[in-house]
Amino acid sequence: MPDRYAVIGNPVAHSKSPWIHAQFARACALDIEYTRIEAPLDAFSATVDAFRAAAGRGANVTLPFKQEAFIYCASVSERAREARAVNTLVLDRGEPWGDNTDGVGLLRDLESNLRFELRGRRVLLMGAGGAAQAVLPALCAAGPARLIVANRTSDKARTLAARFEGTTGCGYEDLGGDAFDLVVNATSAGLVGELPALPSAQVLFAPGAFAYDMVYGRDTPFLSYARAAGVRASDGAGMLVEQAAESFLVWRGVRPDTRAVLAALRKG
Ligand code: ATR
């Protein structure tokens, strides 16, 4: 019997996680079954309970259940507590335990794959919803010189930033002439083909800057805006693979190599 894992979300049919984890399992010579489970919007807990009862050992949690997963867990890691969200459930060690690997996934993609060192840099995080909240603790811990959270609803950015020392929240209109070395788009604007109301790219990006859109597999208006100004830009494919590798590590105690998987994912 293979060890059972799954990704739980709604919708979940598009999820690349089963494919990614199948590559990891093969590379590590482990007998793992990793499936997609679409939980009804009002039945996340019951869905996880049923998966546990069917010998499910662990699960990734995706939209819109990451906050519910946080509540579901009897205890959580420090990074999940800071993110107030869980994307990795451990179900085979007694009471359900939750972790969040999104932040470290972003960091590993930036620092290991894209060779962008965050320490001492000026960083702008766009968005103040669940996606932004999940990565802000890791960005903060990476030691940037400056970390600004900007959001369409500026009060949400201020409230989120207030939880993290040295971080400031504002609206896009408050950015003025500030330049950044890294701009991370954690808004869902790109999913509907929109661009947040940013200043001109020539002003926003410092020389040698990097633009990162956490959305995967889409040429978002933000990526086009950055590239049109000659700025290096990346979508969230690497983050997707790195957060999966970190979940795999949490479950199995081995960190799979991500390079070949990321290359294959990008090839499509
Ligand atoms: P997620 O879990 O993906 O973060 P969310 O919690 O609904 O989803 O948050 C969506 C984020 O994208 C918010 O920061 C939202 O801004 P508001 O708080 O002002 O709503 C941002 N967003 C969505 N569409 C946007 C757009 N067209 N322009 C700018 N920001 C947008």
Side-chain angles (χ1 to χ4, degrees):
M1 262 271 281
D3 292 341
R4 299 191 67 197
Y5 295 87
V7 56
I8 303 174
N10 185 336
V12 80
H14 63 283
S15 173
K16 295 280 182 200
S17 292
W19 180 82
I20 293 170
H21 282 278
Q23 309 306 306
F24 291 164
R26 187 175 334 139
C28 298
L30 290 168
D31 190 14
I32 282 174
E33 173 199 277
Y34 187 112
T35 54
R36 292 180 184 87
I37 299 177
E38 184 167 291
L41 290 174
D42 60 353
F44 172 75
S45 296
T47 302
V48 183
D49 286 346
F51 183 60
R52 273 179 84 193
R57 298 180 66 133
N60 283 126
V61 179
T62 188
L63 296 178
F65 298 124
K66 291 184 188 186
Q67 275 82 25
E68 271 188 77
F70 178 72
I71 294 162
Y72 179 87
C73 290
S75 57
V76 299
S77 66
E78 171 71 14
R79 57 194 184 184
R81 198 182 52 73
E82 286 194 315
R84 296 183 183 170
V86 158
N87 80 333
T88 306
L89 291 169
V90 174
L91 304 171
D92 58 355
R93 297 174 209 161
E95 289 299 296
W97 183 81
D99 198 357
N100 195 311
T101 65
D102 285 329
V104 73
L106 171 63
L107 229 61
R108 287 188 73 89
D109 191 34
L110 283 167
E111 298 200 330
S112 306
N113 300 334
L114 300 164
R115 307 256 169 239
F116 185 91
E117 176 79 40
L118 274 117
R119 181 159 299 279
R121 301 296 190 100
R122 295 160 292 178
V123 177
L124 173 65
L125 176 65
M126 294 156 53
Q133 182 165 281
V135 299
L136 185 56
L139 290 176
C140 211
R146 198 161 179 230
L147 181 51
I148 307 281
V149 181
N151 194 46
R152 180 174 59 183
T153 314
S154 57
D155 277 352
K156 275 170 69 181
R158 288 192 191 93
T159 305
L160 177 58
R163 289 179 38 215
F164 297 89
E165 213 182 305
T167 305
T168 312
C170 66
Y172 298 115
E173 64 283 2
D174 304 317
L175 289 172
D178 292 353
F180 295 89
D181 303 302
L182 172 68
V183 181
V184 176
N185 185 13
T187 75
S188 52
L191 297 176
V192 288
E194 290 179 5
L195 176 69
L198 291 166
S200 139
Q202 272 74 21
V203 173
L204 188 71
F205 294 107
F210 205 96
Y212 194 98
D213 201 316
M214 283 169 48
V215 167
Y216 149 71
R218 237 179 237 248
D219 218 6
T220 61
F222 173 66
L223 290 176
S224 306
Y225 153 92
R227 288 192 182 116
V231 170
R232 290 179 298 158
S234 177
D235 77 350
M239 177 178 168
L240 178 72
V241 174
E242 295 298 339
Q243 62 79 28
E246 189 76 10
S247 294
F248 197 92
L249 171 67
V250 168
W251 292 325
R252 309 300 309 201
V254 275
R255 179 191 293 284
D257 187 38
T258 52
R259 252 168 313 172
V261 177
L262 180 54
L265 182 71
R266 285 205 193 280
K267 258 195 195 159

